Amino acid sequence: MAMMEVSASSDVRATIIGDVVGSRRVSDRTAQHRALNQALRDIGAGAIDPPAFTVGDEFQGSYRSVGAAIDAALSIRLAVATHIDVRFGIGWGAVSVLDPERGIQDGPGWWAAREAIEWTAAAQRQPGLAMVRTSFRVNGVDRTDADAINAALLCRDHLLGSLDDRSIRIVKGLLTNQTKKDIAAAEGISASAVSQRAGRDGLDLIVVASQYLRGVP
């Protein structure tokens, strides 16, 4: 979406850029694209610009709040988790529409998201940050909560990256307000086993952290 110079009319919003980690190693890129595209359609409600593919496996969208963008990123990630690994850059800043017909946009909001996803990609190459999948940047706007947001994202990403497939499914259920009893029935295990996993793997913490992050303006 980002190109050319910023026009006079612009508004501040949360921008999101996502792409697939290690996409060149994926054997069935058509199936990958189909699964991601379905995930993008499922989280488009409430967006200013619903997330959509731009070039290759990169997709972009925008939201009215940082919390909404963070929540969308988590929903996309969990929708394709266990078979597609996705990373994100979230930005906050002014966005200008340069060509309404073609949907071409530019501005500090997109520059911030680009900086964020580039940092995410670089961070993943460091052993201590290998599980990082989401980061946040601000450009051209007086906002003082960026460090706190990134601290929360780092911790949540580490928890998510430590989960096995069953715990991923369980936390997806918890985040969509399913009861532990219903999740247990779907998994073919006891409700006690679900509760033990939720405590041991930090699943309840992920849910609470996500609720707080969802409310970020």
Side-chain angles (χ1 to χ4, degrees):
M1 291 185 183
M3 62 180 291
M4 300 177 63
E5 65 181 72
V6 182
S7 66
S9 59
S10 60
D11 65 292
V12 176
R13 64 182 69 171
T15 51
I16 181 171
I17 299 176
D19 67 17
V20 176
V21 178
S23 61
R24 295 181 182 180
R25 298 190 297 271
V26 175
S27 58
D28 191 342
R29 292 174 63 85
T30 300
Q32 170 193 276
H33 183 90
R34 188 182 303 114
L36 257 178
N37 201 37
Q38 181 61 55
L40 297 183
R41 286 199 297 267
D42 288 345
I43 57 91
I48 298 174
D49 299 299
F53 286 106
T54 52
V55 177
D57 59 23
E58 183 175 291
F59 52 88
Q60 300 181 9
S62 65
Y63 290 81
R64 301 194 182 281
S65 72
V66 172
I70 290 173
D71 196 51
L74 178 64
S75 296
I76 295 167
R77 180 178 177 182
L78 291 178
V80 297
T82 72
H83 59 288
I84 303 175
D85 190 7
V86 191
R87 65 177 156 239
F88 301 90
I90 295 171
W92 180 256
V95 169
S96 296
V97 179
L98 305 178
D99 187 334
E101 292 185 3
R102 295 182 176 86
I104 297 174
Q105 299 178 7
D106 191 22
W110 289 114
W111 308 337
R114 180 63 61 189
E115 179 186 347
I117 197 169
E118 289 176 355
W119 184 90
T120 303
Q124 289 177 247
R125 295 193 286 270
Q126 303 177 43
L129 299 174
M131 295 182 183
V132 171
R133 292 296 181 273
T134 318
S135 60
F136 172 60
R137 295 293 183 274
V138 178
N139 191 311
V141 178
D142 184 15
R143 184 165 185 148
T144 60
D145 58 356
D147 288 346
I149 291 170
N150 278 312
L153 291 172
L154 285 169
C155 293
R156 191 178 70 174
D157 276 355
H158 187 82
L159 284 171
L160 285 167
S162 304
L163 303 181
D164 62 19
D165 289 357
R166 171 162 280 173
S167 286
I168 286 283
R169 293 194 299 271
I170 291 172
V171 81
K172 286 170 65 174
L174 294 174
L175 285 165
T176 53
N177 298 317
Q178 295 180 39
T179 67
K180 289 179 179 176
K181 181 179 179 180
D182 288 340
I183 294 170
E187 290 292 320
I189 58 178
S190 68
S192 175
V194 171
S195 294
Q196 288 172 17
R197 272 185 176 261
R200 183 193 68 207
D201 293 351
L203 308 186
D204 289 332
L205 287 174
I206 291 171
V207 172
V208 173
S210 299
Q211 290 170 346
Y212 279 119
L213 286 167
R214 193 179 299 134
V216 173

